[in-house]
Structures are given as C-alpha cells and as structure tokens.
Amino acid sequence: MADSFPRQYARTQRLTLGEPRDLTVSDDGRRIVFARSRDGADPVNHLWVADVDTGEERLVVDPAALIAELAVDDADLPAEERARRERMREGAGGITGYATDRDMVRATFALAGYLFVVELASGAVRHLDAPGPVFDPHLSPDGQRIAYVRGRELWVTDLSGDARLLVGPTDADPDTVGWGSADFIAAEEMGRFRGFWWNPDSTHIAACRVDDAPVQVWHISDPADPSAAPRAIRYPAAGTPNPDVSLHVCPVDAGPVDAGPVDAGRIEVDWDHRAFEYLAKVSWTEHGLAATVMSRRQRDLRVVVADPATGRTRTVFEDHDDAWIELAPGTGSFVAPDTPVMCADHERP
C-alpha cells in the first residue's frame, strides 16, 4: 500500500530530505558546494561538490564513515548544537552545517562535537584533535585556521589541530557570560545563528559577548519523564529583560599561544545600546565591519560601520516604521564602501 500524504510528509521531513541545501558558490561560478542526503528517505546529510560546466556531482564527505571510524554517536551533540538545531527547526543528521575558505579549497564541519576539515578537490578528510566539544567551526578566509566555539569560549586552531583559547569569560565574570554564540533572540527571532566573524585578512575576529544574567529563569519539566527534576533555563519572554550583547574585535595572533584569553588589543564596537539593544546582523567584508542594530520595539533600525582599530562607529543607513521593521535575509552586507544592501516593505518619504 502506498504511503498516505501525511506519512510521506513526515517520513521525508516535510519533503526536504534529498534536497540540496546550504549552497556555497565559488567566485567564478563554476563550483557549488552543498549538503544533501542521498534520497528522500535518508535523514543523513552528506557534503557534495557540483561542477557547473559538466553538471557532475561528486560526494566528498560521507559522515557515516567518519562516525564509524571514531566509534561515536552522531546524536551525542553539544548543548549549543542542540539549541542551534532547535532554532533552525533542523531535523536531519550528518552534516547540518559547514564553512569553506574564500577560494573554496577546503571546508570544515563538526560531527558529534569533533572537528573535521576536508580538501574539496581530493575529498581527503582529516579529524583535527582540537579540544572540544566543537561547535560552529569556520575557516579563516585564507584557509589556514579554524575558529570554533567550545562551551562559553571561542577557540582558534591551525590545520594540525594545535588549538588555543582566543577569548572567553574571565575569573570575574559570572557563569552567564559566553563568547562566540548567538543569543536566543538573535537566533530565534532575527535569523542570526552565528556569534563570530573572520575579517577578510584572516587576522582578526569580531566576536559577540553575551551575558544572560538579566534574563529571567524558567523551569521546564519533561512530560515524558515525570521523575526528572525541572530544567532551569533563561528565557527572555516578551516584556522582560534581554541579555546584554556586545561585539568585540579580537586579534587572532595577540599574545603567546598559552596566554589564554586575549585582553590586550581587544576592542569593543561602540553603538547606542540603550536605543538599539538588539544586534541583528554582522557582516565583515573587504568593504568594512558592519552591524545592523534594532530598537527594543523593532520600529527603528540602524546600520553602522565600525573602525576595527578604535571600535568607533558611524551610521550609514537608518530606517523607521510606525508598526515594526521586518528583517530581510541577506541585508546589512556591503557591495561597496558605505553602500549596504537593504530592504524596506513600506513607502519611504
């Protein structure tokens, strides 16, 4: 008997399995890297490369083989990865996120908290023995280093796995402070799932510092396990205090390898946090470090460009709506100096 439509819809995860996703196109337009499961019944994403000229698709990473080699469970995920998948409504397994270098020579990804890098031309995959669990790894534009989140810290490693802590909470910080991850509101409501960005020269990283101390604590019980104690989480419900979010420019090579978090040389990006408490988007291209910030009522938006050496900012775009401003995917990036791509769904004066 053929499956009913509801069964097909559930089995194929809303008709998304086997569909190409997370496409990255080379600058010359001749290669495309993407993730996709083998077919509509396979819930495990693999990494592929497509040749635009020939139409050939080539499998470069089979995550099942890597998981079997390490003898780990792909479902054993870091807490940050579980939260990211929840925010993105991600139901698939395998490679659910990856990042390439500027020239698409290699790509990096994490499986079960382990760090991997693959040479896209040959398909050679290496497991880097960097301290983990690893979350949200990103290659530097020059392809020589990888930055990733480990708990509440931001780490950097070279391609041999020689890793060091770049920035993290100090001894004076409460346990509500974290670096390099998106806060709940940014990920759930604004489509910003990242918390750090490389500069084009691969010498600095702009990283978010998030302090959840002001956020109220909720207690959630597990209805499937009434014997389990309620789980405490910090949830910024409407009308209640939000986390304190700031953006900092961190030099990657400052200090000796074993010096711990970088303090000297770290610069905080300055904007009016009282008027614009939401950090909605960040973009760092050859045209500058830009941040899109919004007011609490989401009626005012501002795009600022920061001087990485001083943290001072200047406004290059402002918008207002008497109801609210809808954030459009892809906006806030620059196509030329002082020329951001923006979108407005209302008539401007």
Side-chain angles (χ1 to χ4, degrees):
M1 179 183 296
D3 281 351
S4 64
F5 174 74
R7 289 183 180 275
Q8 290 181 11
Y9 197 66
R11 178 170 50 80
T12 61
Q13 295 189 10
R14 305 177 303 281
L15 306 180
T16 61
L17 298 183
E19 180 182 58
R21 46 176 285 180
D22 302 332
L23 278 66
T24 305
V25 182
S26 62
D27 287 344
D28 60 9
R30 301 181 65 180
R31 291 177 298 138
I32 302 174
V33 180
F34 62 95
R36 187 187 64 198
S37 61
R38 291 184 182 273
D39 54 52
D42 181 9
V44 179
N45 283 321
H46 301 61
L47 195 65
W48 305 74
V49 174
D51 186 303
V52 175
D53 293 334
T54 65
E56 177 190 5
E57 296 178 359
R58 180 168 48 87
L59 176 65
V60 292
V61 179
D62 180 352
L66 301 178
I67 290 296
E69 182 179 337
L70 289 176
V72 296
D73 185 356
D74 187 31
D76 186 15
L77 302 172
E80 296 82 7
E81 176 63 14
R82 291 186 181 277
R84 184 191 72 87
R85 294 190 183 191
E86 180 181 344
R87 301 287 85 78
M88 299 185 72
R89 312 300 189 262
E90 175 65 75
I95 299 175
T96 60
Y98 72 92
T100 71
D101 59 344
R102 179 174 44 230
D103 295 329
M104 286 177 52
V105 172
R106 54 182 61 99
T108 185
F109 57 92
L111 289 173
Y114 291 87
L115 181 62
F116 295 88
V117 63
V118 56
E119 303 295 326
L120 294 173
S122 66
V125 184
R126 283 180 290 156
H127 164 228
L128 303 185
D129 191 19
V134 172
F135 168 66
D136 195 26
H138 285 267
L139 276 158
S140 59
D142 64 9
Q144 298 305 305
R145 287 181 284 197
I146 301 171
Y148 66 91
V149 176
R150 181 193 185 206
R152 298 187 294 131
E153 303 166 340
L154 184 60
W155 286 65
V156 174
T157 181
D158 61 22
L159 298 183
S160 70
D162 185 9
R164 69 180 180 90
L165 175 62
L166 179 66
V167 64
T170 66
D171 293 339
D173 287 329
D175 61 5
T176 53
V177 172
W179 287 83
S181 294
D183 60 281
F184 177 91
I185 296 173
E188 180 69 23
E189 308 295 345
M190 297 184 170
R192 177 173 66 79
F193 302 102
R194 295 183 58 182
F196 68 92
W197 299 263
W198 284 96
N199 75 330
D201 295 333
S202 305
T203 58
H204 291 71
I205 290 176
C208 289
R209 180 187 185 272
V210 177
D211 186 357
D212 283 320
V215 181
Q216 66 180 2
V217 177
W218 285 35
H219 295 85
I220 299 178
S221 300
D222 183 357
D225 185 7
S227 65
R231 180 168 55 96
I233 66 166
R234 292 187 179 270
Y235 176 68
T240 64
N242 287 323
D244 292 327
V245 181
S246 54
L247 184 67
H248 302 250
V249 177
C250 307
V252 174
D253 290 324
V257 171
D258 58 353
V262 175
D263 291 318
R266 190 172 67 218
I267 302 296
E268 181 175 353
V269 175
D270 181 33
W271 74 86
D272 187 349
H273 287 257
R274 180 178 294 274
F276 298 90
E277 62 179 273
Y278 292 138
L279 178 60
K281 297 177 182 292
V282 176
S283 172
W284 203 345
T285 69
E286 65 273 17
H287 303 302
L289 172 60
T292 302
V293 295
M294 294 189 75
S295 63
R296 173 67 187 251
R297 303 181 77 178
Q298 300 184 45
R299 296 178 179 177
D300 292 282
L301 175 147
R302 181 175 290 176
V303 179
V304 299
V305 174
D307 180 349
T310 64
R312 289 194 292 269
T313 59
R314 54 188 175 85
T315 302
V316 295
F317 180 85
E318 290 184 289
D319 199 5
H320 171 81
D321 192 287
D322 291 338
W324 73 82
I325 295 175
E326 186 73 22
L327 288 167
T331 57
S333 296
F334 282 67
V335 294
D338 294 343
T339 309
V341 175
M342 299 303 298
C343 178
D345 57 4
H346 59 89
E347 184 178 350
R348 294 181 59 81

